[in-house]
């Protein structure tokens, strides 16, 4: 489930690599400041789960497979007997960016078009047991939200924002549900979350008196990997059925406190000024917060015929305000032009995003009992990232999604298929505060002002194709 695995390119020719990577520590925190929202629209791009995908994400009440443990654990009581579900989704994510040159200027080709197009798989599996006609249910599942990955040319126009980025968030969840009454079901899931960040970007160590701020001779390629292997959390939900034809579902997922250790690898720029850089220490502890999620759904149902659900999902991204990094042990390096000796201490970077609200409408049509079922749905969501923070490393936009799906009997199994195309609104940014990262002059060119790298036009799209199998005993 780690889309970053295997994406690290070979070391660029003609550059020497710092064995203990101290230059990476110097620029780690400004680099991370723009990395988390590449998960566009909060923690995920579209709602996970093959059946939820076909309903346009409108599955807070209507999900009827093991994936309901994630969306609303009370829904496990819809199942009967032993249920096993497996699925895998092919995620196709493309981003296109044309950068607006900064008045400071740069090298020829600094603002050519930058394109990223990555495909990867995201599998999941779960097992649930609900005694026939019983009052309780239990499940265990492993899954990951659908996130976006990007990869641009290492010497292209996007290099100061991102070169390669692939984040992964994996959940292992144990879930229980209980029927208090025929009209009220409750569910609780305990989650163990693993967060993994992988990214590469170019930083500049332009000294201010030779060349230009975007001279490739002063570029260093920085590799960052941060892992948080143990972060507990949970999700609680309920389903209320005041009428046989009406159901209301509500679920809440706790926030996610990232607390991981990162390792870095950096090139030394090719310019002779940096021939004497040396260091000690190479690790840093990263701490930040990903938001809590509130889901609400209202479902109209005609048993064994069709259902229609209207859902809303709110993610509190305004709670993600600070990324803090603390060196683990001594991090010291010498021979840096214009600085000499530099000792890293705790650094906190403020980062402000906005809450997201997603609206979904979807449903299912049963062509005949225990036969073919068809699904369709639409969804809309506002952008997490404001204009001032947008970059190709933090690309997000208002989204419109269209989903289609089906379930077909296949012997003792059910075959599930779901597809969603996500339209991302074009954005033209003129007020970006995303600047080229330069550890020697964090404020930008000391003579002519900062080099802004986030202005320009952005467009993107996402396609998710999911296939799964469900077996009941």
């Amino acid at each position: 489930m780690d889309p970053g695995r295997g994406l690290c390119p070979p070391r660029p020719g003609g550059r020497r690599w710092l064995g203990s990577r101290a230059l990476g520590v110097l620029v780690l925190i400004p680099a991370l400041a723009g990395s988390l929202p590449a998960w566009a629209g909060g923690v995920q791009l579209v709602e996970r789960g093959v059946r939820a995908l076909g309903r346009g994400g409108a599955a807070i009440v209507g999900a009827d497979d093991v994936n309901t443990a994630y969306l609303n654990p009370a829904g496990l009581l819809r199942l009967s007997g032993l249920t096993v579900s497996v699925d895998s989704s092919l995620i196709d994510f493309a981003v296109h960016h044309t950068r607006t040159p900064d008045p400071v200027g740069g090298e020829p080709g600094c603002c050519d078009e930058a394109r990223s197009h990555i495909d990867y798989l995201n599998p999941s599996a779960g097992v649930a047991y609900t005694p026939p006609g019983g009052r309780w249910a239990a499940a265990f599942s492993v899954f990951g939200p659908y996130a976006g990955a990007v990869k641009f040319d290492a010497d292209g126009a996007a290099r100061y924002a991102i070169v390669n980025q692939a984040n992964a968030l994996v959940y292992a969840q144990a879930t229980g549900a209980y029927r208090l009454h025929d009209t009220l079901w409750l569910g609780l899931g305990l989650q163990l979350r693993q967060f993994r960040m992988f990214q590469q970007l170019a930083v500049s160590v332009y000294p201010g008196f030779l060349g230009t701020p975007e001279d490739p001779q002063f570029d260093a390629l920085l590799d960052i990997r941060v892992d948080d292997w143990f972060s507990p959390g949970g999700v609680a939900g309920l389903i209320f059925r005041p009428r046989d034809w009406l159901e209301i579902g509500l679920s809440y997922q706790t926030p996610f406190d990232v607390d991981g250790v990162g390792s870095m690898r950096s090139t030394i720029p090719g310019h002779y000024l940096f021939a004497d850089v040396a260091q000690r220490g190479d690790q840093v502890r990263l701490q930040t917060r990903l938001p809590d999620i509130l889901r609400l759904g209202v479902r109209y149902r005609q048993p064994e015929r069709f259902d229609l659900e209207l859902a809303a999902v709110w993610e509190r991204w305004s709670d993600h305000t600070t990324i803090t990094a603390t060196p683990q042990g001594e991090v010291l390096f010498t021979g840096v032009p214009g600085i000499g000796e530099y000792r890293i201490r705790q650094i906190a970077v403020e980062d402000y995003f906005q809450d997201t609200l997603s609206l979904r409408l979807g449903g299912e049509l049963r062509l005949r009992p225990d036969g073919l079922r068809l699904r369709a749905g639409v969804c809309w969501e506002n952008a997490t990232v404001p204009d001032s923070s947008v970059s190709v490393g933090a690309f997000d936009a208002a989204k419109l999604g269209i989903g289609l799906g089906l379930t077909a009997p296949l012997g003792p199994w059910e075959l599930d298929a779901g597809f969603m195309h996500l339209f991302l609104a074009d954005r033209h940014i003129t007020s970006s505060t995303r600047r080229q990262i330069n550890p020697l002059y964090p404020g930008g060119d000391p003579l002519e002002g900062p080099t802004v790298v986030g202005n320009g036009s952005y467009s993107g799209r996402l396609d998710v194709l999911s296939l799964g199998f469900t077996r009941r005993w």
Side-chain angles (χ1 to χ4, degrees), residues 44-63 67 70-72 146 251 294-298 307-313 358-363 375-381 401-405 418-422:
Q44 56 194 8
L45 291 163
V46 296
E47 200 67 87
R48 69 143 291 104
V50 58
R51 297 189 181 184
L53 197 71
R55 297 171 63 99
I60 314 309
V61 191
N67 280 301
Y70 170 71
L71 299 169
N72 185 345
Y146 300 147
S251 70
L294 184 66
R295 298 179 171 95
L296 172 66
V298 178
D307 77 280
L308 186 66
E309 180 174 338
L310 176 64
V313 178
S358 174
L359 302 177
R360 298 123 181 239
L361 179 65
R375 302 183 186 91
V378 295
C379 63
W380 172 89
E381 185 176 83
I402 299 176
L404 297 171
F419 172 78
M420 179 176 283
H421 178 77
L422 201 68

Side-chain angles (χ1 to χ4, degrees), residues 1-89:
M1 295 183 193
D2 183 358
R5 188 170 298 159
L7 293 179
C8 184
R11 299 175 180 179
R15 293 186 176 182
R16 293 170 293 113
W17 287 79
L18 284 173
S20 50
R21 305 175 289 256
L23 185 59
V25 177
L26 180 62
V27 295
L28 170 66
I29 302 310
L32 290 177
S35 63
L36 294 178
W39 293 58
V43 178
Q44 56 194 8
L45 291 163
V46 296
E47 200 67 87
R48 69 143 291 104
V50 58
R51 297 189 181 184
L53 197 71
R55 297 171 63 99
I60 314 309
V61 191
D64 60 354
D65 62 351
V66 179
N67 280 301
T68 191
Y70 170 71
L71 299 169
N72 185 345
L76 288 174
L77 291 164
R78 293 192 191 285
L79 307 180
S80 180
L82 181 65
T83 303
V84 174
S85 294
V86 294
D87 67 61
S88 186
S89 297

Side-chain angles (χ1 to χ4, degrees), residues 98-421:
T98 301
R99 211 181 110 195
T100 300
D102 186 89
V104 171
E107 295 297 304
C110 77
C111 299
D112 293 339
E113 291 184 346
R115 295 179 180 270
S116 169
H117 187 180
I118 285 185
D119 300 317
Y120 65 91
L121 292 173
N122 184 316
S124 70
V127 58
Y129 180 69
T130 307
R135 302 183 65 89
W136 60 272
F140 180 79
S141 50
V142 179
F143 52 85
Y146 300 147
V150 293
K151 186 175 183 180
F152 296 92
D153 292 338
D155 56 355
R159 67 187 187 275
Y160 295 122
I162 204 71
V163 171
N164 193 352
Q165 178 168 263
N167 300 331
L169 182 56
V170 179
Y171 294 74
Q173 179 173 319
T175 311
Y178 187 75
R179 191 190 312 265
L180 288 178
H181 188 271
D182 287 345
T183 62
L184 183 61
W185 310 347
L186 301 179
L188 177 65
L190 300 180
Q191 298 172 336
L192 180 62
R193 304 160 176 172
Q194 177 202 340
F195 175 76
R196 170 167 292 183
M197 175 188 291
F198 169 80
Q199 73 169 26
Q200 295 178 315
L201 76 161
V203 299
S204 174
V205 286
Y206 164 63
F209 54 87
L210 286 174
T212 61
E214 298 190 34
D215 188 337
Q217 291 187 89
F218 297 114
D219 285 354
L221 186 66
L222 172 67
D223 290 68
I224 303 167
R225 177 173 171 173
V226 175
D227 290 311
D228 181 0
W229 295 99
F230 184 85
S231 181
V235 57
L238 64 84
I239 292 178
F240 177 52
R241 183 183 289 177
R243 295 287 186 271
D244 209 33
W245 51 268
L246 178 64
E247 295 178 333
I248 300 169
L250 179 69
S251 70
Y252 173 76
Q253 183 172 305
T254 60
F256 179 18
D257 291 315
V258 176
D259 189 348
V261 175
S263 60
M264 289 134 283
R265 183 175 65 178
S266 301
T267 63
I268 296 177
H271 201 278
Y272 67 88
L273 284 176
F274 301 92
D276 298 326
V277 173
Q279 58 71 48
R280 294 194 301 270
D282 66 357
Q283 293 206 337
V284 66
R285 179 184 181 188
L286 172 72
Q287 295 170 294
T288 191
R289 168 168 281 205
L290 302 182
D292 49 348
I293 303 174
L294 184 66
R295 298 179 171 95
L296 172 66
V298 178
R299 180 188 186 215
Y300 174 79
R301 61 190 291 266
Q302 289 292 327
E304 304 304 327
R305 294 179 59 193
F306 73 92
D307 77 280
L308 186 66
E309 180 174 338
L310 176 64
V313 178
W314 172 71
E315 300 183 32
R316 184 160 46 184
W317 272 100
S318 60
D319 202 32
H320 168 70
T321 58
T322 306
I323 302 175
T324 302
T326 306
Q328 301 298 280
E330 183 182 68
V331 179
L332 171 70
F333 51 102
T334 61
V336 179
I339 294 179
E341 183 177 282
Y342 193 101
R343 187 184 301 271
I344 299 296
R345 296 177 175 83
Q346 186 182 76
I347 304 171
V349 174
E350 295 182 344
D351 222 351
Y352 296 101
F353 305 121
Q354 54 201 18
D355 294 348
T356 59
L357 175 65
S358 174
L359 302 177
R360 298 123 181 239
L361 179 65
E364 176 181 289
L365 174 66
R366 290 177 177 262
L367 297 184
R368 64 179 186 272
D370 300 321
L372 184 67
R373 289 181 279 166
L374 303 179
R375 302 183 186 91
V378 295
C379 63
W380 172 89
E381 185 176 83
N382 67 294
T384 307
V385 186
D387 284 2
S388 60
S389 300
V390 172
S391 73
V392 288
F395 174 62
D396 191 27
K399 297 171 270 303
L400 176 65
I402 299 176
L404 297 171
L406 63 84
T407 293
L410 193 66
W413 295 83
E414 291 179 328
L415 169 66
D416 296 313
F419 172 78
M420 179 176 283
H421 178 77

